[in-house]
Amino acid sequence: MFEDGDVIIGGLFNLHYMPPVKDQRFTLEPDNKPCTGLQNLPLQYIYAMVFALEEINHSSALLPGVKLGHRIHDSCALPAWEMQAALSLVGGDAPTYVAHFVMLLGERRVPLIIGGSSSITAQILSRFLGPLSVPLVSYTASSPSLSDRRQYPNFFRTMASDIYQARAIAQLAIKYNWTWVGAVVANNEYGLMAVKVFQEEIQGAGVCLSFVETLQRENIVSDASRAALAIQASTAKVILIFTWYTDVMELFLQLEKLNVTDRQFLASEAWSTSTDLRQSAFSRKVARGVLGVAIQSSSLPGFGTFVRNLNPSLRPNDQVLKEFWEKEFGCSPGIGATPSSSSLPPCSGTESLRDVKNLFTDTSQLRVTYNVYLAVYAAAHALHSLLSCPDVSSSPGQNVTCSLHTQIKPMELMEQLSKVNFTTPQGEAFYFQGADVTAKYDLVNWQSSPEGEVNLVLIGRVDSFDLHLNESAIQWSTGSSQVPVSVCSERCPPGTRMASRKGEPICCFDCIPCADGQISNTTGSTQCNHCPSELWSNAERTACIPRQLDFLSFNETLGITLTAVAVSGVTATTAVFVVFLYYRQTPMVRANNSELSFLLLLSLKLCFLCSLVFIGRPSAWSCRFQQAAFGISFVLCVSCLQVKTIVVLAAFRSARPGAEALMRWFGPRQQRGSVCLFTSVQVIICIIWLSLSPPEPRPDLKIPGLQVTLECAMASVVGFSLVLGYIGLLGCTSLLLAFLARKLPDNFNEAKLITFSMLIFCAVWVAFVPAYVSSPGKYAVAVEIFAILASSYGLLFCIFAPKCFIILLRPEKNTKKHLMASLSKNL
């Protein structure tokens, strides 16, 4: 197609898809047969270019006084033909054979070409035209490699790079939490690049690829069968497909054979808008609710009328339109000659495109067509700047024109093209970013109608990196508005955390319950968080709740048992006290130092009673009192035993010749003084300890568990150690003295009984230390109470049980005569 003008714009389109029978891939000879198989959609692209040029020529603001012409070639989808057509365009000095006719195109060279119908063709043409600095503006080439200005400095495009649609699909997967996605891609740069960009975009977002299958067009049946089996075997419910629509058609055919109908497909722009694919019977069954990215659709006011008003009678030199007319209406318009004209009847003249419905006349959603339109306007604005055209708005009413040069240099035009920044007649801002334009896509959805048809519905847009979705308008593969779920592992509920499976992607994991004291209160948590020390996890491990204070109380079984044992001890001690008081004049009581015996019984009663202070909720005063009562009571008890043993030893030592004065140092006053002296030391220790660093009631937060023991925390271990150490010192001294007096007459003193009782006493408290340290919480308190009660019972029964036995059950032995006889015998 040719239209003369002041400046000629070149165009390359794949108008036909069937090359001649003779292989014309690498040679063009004058006797070439034409390509066949006229395509309606590329025909629309051609007339979009013609429409844009006519619109610009009628504009008084853009290129005033300059007429743009065109030279449009059909490349027949063959790169070799497209390259030779480009050579003819930039050469301009030879007749070029276009399709089945020859037209002399003139000698003027084309300064700019709109073409490159595929990324491969665009790469070839850009490298070919690069040394000539002829800019190439593509309307469909989308390979990211074409953005490299070092390799393709003369390349521009009105089609966004494929990187952006891969990113948009990745954002969809992230938005809907599709963490387990399968991928089927073309085994070429288009598909492999898409997978790479998709993986980069989802990295760190918790989305994984279940599998990646590639399709080779030469082996499409076997590859599609293999991919279908992979889709069937995978648990992924969402499948990304990045390939040509003919490959997808074969894949869907294989899926139909396997009866795989429950997958949600994500479509690239290469097949998302394919009418042939949507109208196929198996697609209705297999591909319900497809969600895809499509080239942004736009409207061109007046273009629909322009197309429907086309008529060969109005364009007698337009052989392309005549060929279409013959194909569509089956008649010859009678203008010019084509190979099929002789076999067709003449047209009646009433034929019109107004009632024709096909891809050529359908202007409802212009996608690539609009890219062609933008390419023409970009070229026009670059020429406008290059020709120093005046601003019409600054000179209203004046007839202004551009300063047209005799020859436009492609290098200068390329520089101006990289700087264009204008607003289209539709109000859209347009500019190049290097070779690229701002990425804008439509988000489309395949929706089934009640009539059984599959309609293409616009449900959102992509503007650079922003998704704008009308989610309520989406019809998913489930046939409803329910978003499909595609995960390898269900998201872990609150109270659990994710644990990766060895050798599997991070999207495949197990849900492990949080440990005690840890929680996770969100779904899909990767880790459990520790509760603060004063809080603990609830049973569900979803929240931290205040820890419950626990202590040894009078209401629980252990507290009741210890209380009963302590009260029994007090009762037994009181009973012994009453017996001794009642029989205080008998030789048995009087011979065993009755005053110290009564004081010993009183101290034992205090020991039993002080154990009760350890039971109940600790308070500041109870913590202080219990340790003081414990320490002083036991010191008083052991002091009595020690003085009692000393007195016995002194009494028998004084019976020897020359030792009569010994007892004068251990009379009643000295005995009472010694007990007070030993006890006062413990009192002083307790006063200093409790004044400087007393025990305080404090929860023991170190022990794990919901229940935390409220205990009397020892602020000073030294003070508590001195109290126990002093008791231990007196106990060991008493044990040593009693051991020395063990061979004295049994009926007169209880040295052996004191020895045995002190052994029990020391054994209990030696065992107490490790048991106390290793016992958790309130059980440490119970251990201390047990030690107090055990040692108290040991002293009570070992010392007083034999005496009570004689007093109550063997009264005949409780006489002075019996005691003196026994004494004489032992002496």
Side-chain angles (χ1 to χ4, degrees):
M1 292 180 63
F2 173 73
E3 179 71 30
D4 197 12
D6 299 320
V7 180
I8 306 297
I9 304 297
L12 297 174
F13 298 91
N14 294 333
L15 183 59
H16 298 84
Y17 66 92
M18 294 178 63
V21 176
K22 183 179 179 181
D23 188 358
Q24 306 295 339
R25 294 176 184 268
F26 303 104
T27 60
L28 275 176
E29 301 174 359
D31 59 347
N32 275 341
K33 296 181 180 179
C35 288
T36 57
L38 184 69
Q39 300 183 95
N40 291 336
L41 201 54
L43 185 64
Q44 189 184 72
Y45 304 161
I46 290 175
Y47 283 99
M49 180 175 175
V50 174
F51 172 76
L53 290 171
E54 293 185 3
E55 196 174 58
I56 293 168
N57 288 335
H58 289 89
S59 172
S60 60
L62 185 60
L63 290 173
V66 176
K67 179 184 178 182
L68 296 180
H70 60 261
R71 287 173 59 182
I72 300 174
H73 286 245
D74 174 22
S75 63
C76 200
L78 297 172
W81 283 39
E82 194 155 0
M83 190 166 63
Q84 181 160 2
L87 180 62
S88 173
L89 289 173
V90 298
D93 57 353
T96 300
Y97 294 90
V98 181
H100 59 278
F101 68 97
V102 179
M103 178 180 293
L104 189 62
L105 296 176
E107 297 183 354
R108 279 178 298 169
R109 298 177 179 178
V110 171
L112 179 145
I113 295 176
I114 297 174
S117 55
S118 68
S119 294
I120 294 177
T121 303
Q123 290 170 351
I124 295 173
L125 289 178
S126 182
R127 291 182 184 276
F128 172 69
L129 299 172
L132 303 175
S133 298
V134 176
L136 173 69
V137 184
S138 176
Y139 46 89
T140 54
S142 57
S143 171
S145 61
L146 288 166
S147 300
D148 189 349
R149 302 307 283 168
R150 290 177 300 179
Q151 295 189 59
Y152 310 103
N154 62 323
F155 178 77
F156 299 86
R157 58 182 166 194
T158 55
M159 173 81 169
S161 170
D162 286 330
I163 289 178
Y164 299 102
Q165 66 165 322
R167 287 178 178 173
I169 294 177
Q171 290 179 26
L172 284 174
I174 296 171
K175 176 180 177 62
Y176 290 108
N177 293 319
W178 292 326
T179 60
W180 196 232
V181 179
V184 179
V185 299
N187 191 14
N188 53 29
E189 184 188 12
Y190 177 73
L192 299 178
M193 177 282 311
V195 170
K196 180 181 177 182
V197 174
F198 184 84
Q199 288 177 313
E200 291 174 353
E201 192 71 13
I202 63 176
Q203 190 172 10
V207 179
C208 305
L209 283 176
S210 171
F211 63 88
V212 177
E213 291 291 336
T214 58
L215 302 179
Q216 190 78 31
R217 189 159 299 176
E218 291 78 7
N219 307 312
I220 185 60
V221 176
S222 60
D223 286 357
S225 178
R226 186 190 68 250
L229 290 173
I231 293 174
Q232 183 187 40
S234 175
T235 56
K237 298 299 181 182
V238 174
I239 309 298
L240 163 66
I241 302 181
F242 238 90
T243 187
W244 189 240
Y245 81 93
T246 52
D247 300 340
V248 180
M249 191 171 294
E250 182 62 34
L251 176 63
F252 284 174
L253 184 61
Q254 297 296 330
L255 288 173
E256 184 190 31
K257 294 178 181 178
L258 297 174
N259 196 29
V260 179
T261 60
D262 60 343
R263 298 300 192 268
Q264 175 67 52
F265 293 102
L266 301 180
S268 66
E269 50 79 25
W271 66 276
S272 62
T273 58
S274 171
T275 303
D276 294 340
L277 195 56
R278 279 189 292 115
Q279 292 177 350
S280 62
F282 48 82
S283 292
R284 296 191 186 101
K285 180 180 179 182
V286 172
R288 292 181 300 177
V290 169
L291 189 63
V293 174
I295 301 171
Q296 185 181 29
S297 62
S298 299
S299 61
L300 285 179
F303 181 63
T305 303
F306 171 81
V307 169
R308 286 176 172 79
N309 287 337
L310 289 173
N311 196 298
S313 61
L314 302 177
R315 296 174 178 269
N317 295 325
D318 192 338
Q319 296 296 320
V320 174
L321 181 59
K322 182 180 179 182
E323 182 182 355
F324 171 75
W325 208 265
E326 293 175 350
K327 171 191 171 184
E328 184 66 31
F329 298 107
C331 64
S332 174
I335 301 172
T338 66
S340 60
S341 298
S342 59
S343 61
L344 295 176
C347 294
S348 63
T350 60
E351 294 82 5
S352 173
L353 297 179
R354 296 184 182 276
D355 298 326
V356 174
K357 293 182 180 181
N358 56 28
L359 292 177
F360 175 52
T361 59
D362 183 7
T363 59
S364 59
Q365 291 186 347
L366 302 177
R367 302 186 188 277
V368 177
T369 304
Y370 187 67
N371 288 349
V372 175
Y373 179 84
L374 288 176
V376 175
Y377 263 86
H381 277 273
L383 286 168
H384 187 89
S385 299
L386 180 62
L387 299 178
S388 303
C389 296
D391 187 359
V392 177
S393 60
S394 63
S395 305
Q398 299 183 14
N399 187 17
V400 294
T401 58
C402 303
S403 56
L404 183 64
H405 301 295
T406 56
Q407 185 175 0
I408 295 175
K409 296 181 179 180
M411 173 66 78
E412 296 176 351
L413 180 59
M414 185 171 66
E415 292 178 359
Q416 294 300 325
L417 191 62
S418 64
K419 300 176 184 178
V420 294
N421 191 334
F422 62 92
T423 302
T424 66
Q426 291 72 39
E428 178 185 352
F430 181 90
Y431 56 91
F432 287 112
Q433 297 172 320
D436 299 322
V437 293
T438 302
K440 294 181 180 180
Y441 293 98
D442 286 345
L443 293 175
V444 295
N445 183 217
W446 291 14
Q447 297 187 3
S448 301
S449 65
E451 295 78 19
E453 296 182 354
V454 179
N455 299 321
L456 191 67
V457 178
L458 178 68
I459 48 92
R461 294 187 182 277
V462 179
D463 188 357
S464 294
F465 297 105
D466 298 327
L467 291 178
H468 305 281
L469 269 174
N470 180 11
E471 297 186 49
S472 60
I474 301 176
Q475 184 182 100
W476 300 101
S477 59
T478 56
S480 64
S481 59
Q482 184 66 37
V483 180
V485 177
S486 184
V487 296
C488 179
S489 301
E490 293 289 342
R491 299 183 70 191
C492 293
T496 62
R497 66 173 178 85
M498 296 189 299
S500 300
R501 298 173 186 168
K502 187 176 181 180
E504 296 189 31
I506 60 172
C507 301
C508 301
F509 49 82
D510 296 317
C511 296
I512 306 298
C514 292
D516 289 343
Q518 300 179 0
I519 65 162
S520 66
N521 53 11
T522 57
T523 302
S525 179
T526 57
Q527 62 181 4
C528 298
N529 300 317
H530 288 273
C531 290
S533 58
E534 67 276 7
L535 303 177
W536 197 253
S537 57
N538 59 1
E540 294 78 20
R541 308 290 193 272
T542 56
C544 293
I545 59 177
R547 301 176 77 173
Q548 300 173 4
L549 292 178
D550 187 27
F551 51 86
L552 187 61
S553 68
F554 290 100
N555 298 325
E556 59 182 299
T557 303
L558 184 58
I560 293 173
T561 302
L562 293 175
T563 301
V565 174
V567 172
S568 299
V570 172
T571 304
T573 305
T574 303
V576 174
F577 188 89
V578 171
V579 170
F580 266 59
L581 183 64
Y582 185 78
Y583 293 98
R584 65 183 179 279
Q585 301 299 331
T586 61
M588 179 63 69
V589 176
R590 295 181 65 182
N592 285 279
N593 200 331
S594 60
E595 185 175 350
L596 286 178
S597 295
F598 285 121
L599 189 57
L600 179 58
L601 287 170
L602 178 62
S603 63
L604 285 174
K605 184 180 291 188
L606 292 176
C607 288
F608 282 116
L609 290 174
C610 78
S611 65
L612 299 176
V613 183
F614 289 85
I615 304 175
R617 184 186 181 95
S619 63
W621 286 105
S622 67
C623 287
R624 300 183 184 189
F625 181 72
Q626 63 185 209
Q627 300 300 336
F630 157 69
I632 295 172
S633 299
F634 268 91
V635 165
L636 179 60
C637 178
V638 178
S639 298
C640 291
L641 289 175
Q642 185 167 346
V643 172
K644 202 174 178 64
T645 307
I646 293 173
V647 170
V648 172
L649 285 173
F652 278 89
R653 295 288 182 184
S654 63
R656 297 178 180 179
E660 295 84 359
L662 188 60
M663 276 302 297
R664 288 199 297 257
W665 295 99
F666 289 96
R669 287 186 179 181
Q670 287 78 8
Q671 296 172 23
R672 289 190 294 270
S674 298
V675 172
C676 291
L677 177 62
F678 293 146
T679 306
S680 62
V681 175
Q682 184 75 302
V683 172
I684 293 172
I685 293 175
C686 290
I687 290 174
I688 296 174
W689 172 34
L690 298 179
S691 299
L692 298 179
S693 184
E696 295 290 342
R698 191 179 305 160
D700 186 7
L701 301 177
K702 296 180 181 179
I703 299 178
L706 179 60
Q707 290 188 334
V708 57
T709 302
L710 182 63
E711 62 178 9
C712 292
M714 298 297 175
S716 173
V717 180
V718 176
F720 185 57
S721 300
L722 287 175
V723 170
L724 290 180
Y726 186 64
I727 295 174
L729 176 63
L730 291 179
C732 293
T733 306
S734 299
L735 176 61
L736 179 61
L737 293 174
F739 180 77
L740 296 174
R742 70 190 185 282
K743 294 185 178 180
L744 294 179
D746 294 343
N747 291 338
F748 185 77
N749 69 89
E750 64 273 23
K752 290 183 179 180
L753 300 180
I754 292 175
T755 302
F756 188 64
S757 66
M758 292 311 297
L759 283 173
I760 295 176
F761 180 86
C762 292
V764 168
W765 287 102
V766 168
F768 159 76
V769 175
Y772 181 83
V773 172
S774 61
S775 298
K778 64 183 180 181
Y779 295 104
V781 180
V783 167
E784 187 171 359
I785 296 174
F786 177 80
I788 293 172
L789 295 177
S791 57
S792 299
Y793 270 108
L795 294 175
L796 177 64
F797 285 108
C798 290
I799 295 174
F800 293 100
K803 297 177 177 61
C804 290
F805 178 78
I806 294 174
I807 292 171
L808 297 176
L809 300 179
R810 296 290 187 270
E812 67 278 4
K813 293 183 179 182
N814 191 13
T815 62
K816 186 176 182 181
K817 180 180 178 180
H818 180 77
L819 293 175
M820 293 306 293
S822 178
L823 178 60
S824 299
K825 182 180 179 181
N826 290 320
L827 292 174

